[in-house]
Amino acid sequence: TQLLEQSPQFLSIQEGENLTVYCNSSSVFSSLQWYRQEPGEGPVLLVTVVTGGEVKKLKRLTFQFGDARKDSSLHITAAQPGDTGLYLCAGFENTGTASKLTFGTGTRLQVTL
Amino acid sequence: KAGVTQTPRYLIKTRGQQVTLSCSPISGHRSVSWYQQTPGQGLQFLFEYFSETQRNKGNFPGRFSGRQFSNSRSEMNVSTLELGDSALYLCASSLVVAGFGNTIYFGEGSWLTVV
């Protein structure tokens, strides 16, 4: 079973600060996705990265996929209270006839005024 | 368009009972996946259905089962409930195969408490 470890587990910062969340695995994934989940809701897809070394930007969020496709990071610039939530990375495994997403352990972010 | 709908949203069951959860995917989506989310274990894959066939299954005991109907709606069943089954059960749908190149959409989940 492939495992995805995220760090840190919890992060409490003030509005305007920058932060980075890491997602690491000992295995290679076909692609990696990042989700944000708010209380009482299901996870919502933020981005999918496919190519090793790929960098994608979504407004103040920057996602990077490691060269070896085993790790990824999410960097948030000038965090806002609306960024509060549980951030999950998920690796996609494609066995040809079946597929599934393996989710990371999660990073709970709280941004205060 | 309407999102993924899960029912019921909240339920309380007693140990030993069984429970059935329902999921209606986004119209046109043929793939439905189920996940269990707990504070200790995080989000864990239960199974995926596509066109009424189970394509993949996670590492859960046989007490957990599911099925998909011809209209893509899906149900999951947990028999002989244990306290450790208390969790948020999430359903997700996608057009084709979940994951690579395809966006999956999650429902709001069904909160199950076993007492």
Side-chain angles (χ1 to χ4, degrees), chain B residues 74-97:
Chain B
S74 177
E75 289 182 346
M76 67 162 284
N77 183 277
V78 187
S79 62
T80 319
L81 284 166
E82 301 177 359
L83 295 178
D85 297 332
S86 295
L88 175 66
Y89 289 87
L90 289 161
C91 169
S93 79
S94 64
L95 269 174
V96 193
V97 172

Side-chain angles (χ1 to χ4, degrees), chain A residues 35 37 42-43 92 97-99 101, chain B residues 37 48 55-56 97-98 100 107:
Chain A
Y35 291 80
Q37 184 178 19
F92 172 69
T97 57
S99 64
L101 281 175
Chain B
Q37 187 173 30
E48 178 191 11
R55 291 171 54 91
N56 204 353
V97 172
F100 185 82

